[in-house]
Amino acid sequence: SEFGITVPEHTLLSRLRGGGMASVFLAREERLGRLVALKVIDDRLSGDEQFRRRFEREARTAAALVHPNIVPIFQYGFTVDARPYLSMPFLEDGSLRDRLRKRGALPVDEALAIARQVASALLAAHARNVVHRDLKPDNVLFQGDTALLTDFGIAKVLDASTALTGMGTNPGTVKYFSPEQAKEQPIDQRSDIY
């Protein structure tokens, strides 16, 4: 494709956004004729086995969280050049960041409705011992008035055999860190609420 990426049975239409580790594309899933968002890891990270495992863990974690306010995963697969990708619904109404930039402060009723939906998504994730760790306006997407939480790329699944955090491995967006994340202290569900 013109983007230098070939995804079996998909036609890439445009690049929606890029990050430090992956890019998200608008694509048409040819077999079903629907528009999807494809998150494809950057070529420079495709050979990093640890990152590939983390990307697959993101797919498994998000796919296990079935909730009306969490973006579902359609498919986990590989591009022709063996780069992992995730397929999910294309949500055409943008992110919370987009809304805030376009409209400024939201009316109280609308802000509360969004907060309730995100809290409901977090409640479902926390019930499965999943801490999102990167809750921010970019990771809240919209389909009409429905807010959906996305990007479980650095989510932590808490269980008895998992260290809560490793020293020097402080993932997330600094601007939205909870104090315990910033200090690289153990985290739990309260970090998302912060």
Side-chain angles (χ1 to χ4, degrees), residues 115-126:
R116 282 185 190 103
Q117 292 176 72
V118 172
S120 182
L122 287 174
L123 183 63
H126 293 168

Side-chain angles (χ1 to χ4, degrees), residues 26-37:
L26 173 63
R28 184 175 51 255
E29 185 180 0
E30 296 302 339
R31 188 167 290 182
L32 297 176
R34 65 181 170 185
L35 293 178
V36 296

Side-chain angles (χ1 to χ4, degrees), residues 1-174:
S1 79
E2 67 183 273
F3 304 102
I5 301 169
T6 303
V7 181
E9 299 185 18
H10 291 80
T11 301
L12 274 60
L13 303 173
S14 66
R15 184 178 169 147
L16 298 173
R17 70 179 202 190
M21 300 180 209
S23 294
V24 179
F25 298 91
L26 173 63
R28 184 175 51 255
E29 185 180 0
E30 296 302 339
R31 188 167 290 182
L32 297 176
R34 65 181 170 185
L35 293 178
V36 296
L38 291 180
K39 182 176 183 179
V40 182
I41 69 169
D42 286 344
D43 189 40
R44 63 184 171 75
L45 293 170
S46 64
D48 182 333
E49 193 56 39
Q50 181 178 357
F51 185 78
R52 289 171 71 98
R53 282 194 308 269
R54 189 171 107 186
F55 195 77
E56 182 176 358
R57 188 175 62 240
E58 173 185 0
R60 290 180 183 277
T61 299
L65 298 173
V66 178
H67 187 274
N69 297 110
I70 294 177
V71 175
I73 299 297
F74 288 155
Q75 183 179 46
Y76 172 78
F78 297 91
T79 64
V80 168
D81 62 348
R83 291 162 59 182
Y85 74 86
L86 299 176
S87 168
M88 58 201 100
F90 170 60
L91 303 176
E92 62 223 29
D93 294 322
S95 69
L96 180 55
R97 177 170 306 287
D98 297 335
R99 282 194 182 187
L100 293 170
R101 282 185 179 154
K102 183 178 179 181
R103 296 170 40 197
L106 300 176
V108 172
D109 289 347
E110 183 178 353
L112 285 172
I114 293 167
R116 282 185 190 103
Q117 292 176 72
V118 172
S120 182
L122 287 174
L123 183 63
H126 293 168
R128 306 260 335 223
N129 288 323
V130 174
V131 180
H132 189 280
R133 295 200 299 181
D134 200 21
L135 193 61
K136 60 185 180 181
D138 289 309
N139 289 338
V140 177
L141 302 178
F142 290 95
Q143 186 69 45
D145 291 330
T146 302
L148 294 101
L149 185 58
T150 192
D151 198 352
F152 285 81
I154 63 167
K156 183 64 123 182
V157 179
L158 304 176
D159 63 33
S161 65
T162 303
L164 296 180
T165 188
M167 294 304 290
T169 58
N170 203 349
T173 306
V174 173

